[in-house]
Amino acid sequence: SLVMSNMNSARERARDTQRKSDLRSIQTALRLYYNDKGRYPCHDSLYRMRACGTEATCATITPCSWGSRWSVGTVVYMNILPSGPLPDEVYQYTYIDDDSYTLSACLENASDSSGKDVAATVCASTKQYEVKP
C-alpha cells in the first residue's frame, strides 16, 4: 500500500507540473493576443476566453473551447488550447480589465508551495495555481 500511495502521489505531482506548464503556455499566447489587440479577451459564464473565430465585440465573439484551436481570423494563437491532464478538466480564465486577467487551475497536491490556498468548494485539494500578466 505504501508503494501505491507513492505512485499516486507521483502521478498527482506530474499532472500538476503539466497544469503549470499549460498555464504558462496560455499566458504566452495571451500576451501575443494583447500585443495584437491592445487588450486581453473577455470571458463567458463558463470562464472561457471570448477570443475565437472572427473579430467582434466582447459580447458577441465566440468563446474558445478548451482542447481546440485558438484562432482569430487567420491568426492562430495556439493550435490546441490545453484543457487539463484529466478527462473533463478545464482551466478557468477570468477577464479583469483590458490589461489584466487571471488564469487558474486546481492542483492535486495539497502541499504544493506554488499553489495558493482556496476553499475546498473551489479546489478539492484547497490549492490553486494561478498566473496573471
Side-chain angles (χ1 to χ4, degrees), residues 37-110:
K37 309 294 181 195
R39 62 177 171 77
Y40 288 108
C42 298
H43 70 269
D44 70 359
S45 61
L46 299 175
Y47 297 98
R48 298 176 298 184
M49 293 179 286
R50 282 190 165 278
C52 285
T54 57
E55 282 299 320
T57 65
C58 248
T60 60
I61 194 166
T62 305
C64 301
S65 297
W66 301 108
S68 65
R69 172 179 248 169
W70 174 15
S71 62
V72 179
T74 59
V75 179
V76 176
Y77 291 98
M78 295 187 87
N79 282 321
I80 302 239
L81 186 59
S83 61
L86 292 174
D88 299 322
E89 178 181 2
V90 294
Y91 300 128
Q92 184 173 0
Y93 171 81
T94 306
Y95 168 85
I96 306 297
D97 59 36
D98 286 352
D99 298 317
S100 189
Y101 66 86
T102 59
L103 182 62
S104 59
C106 290
L107 299 177
E108 293 179 72
N109 179 5

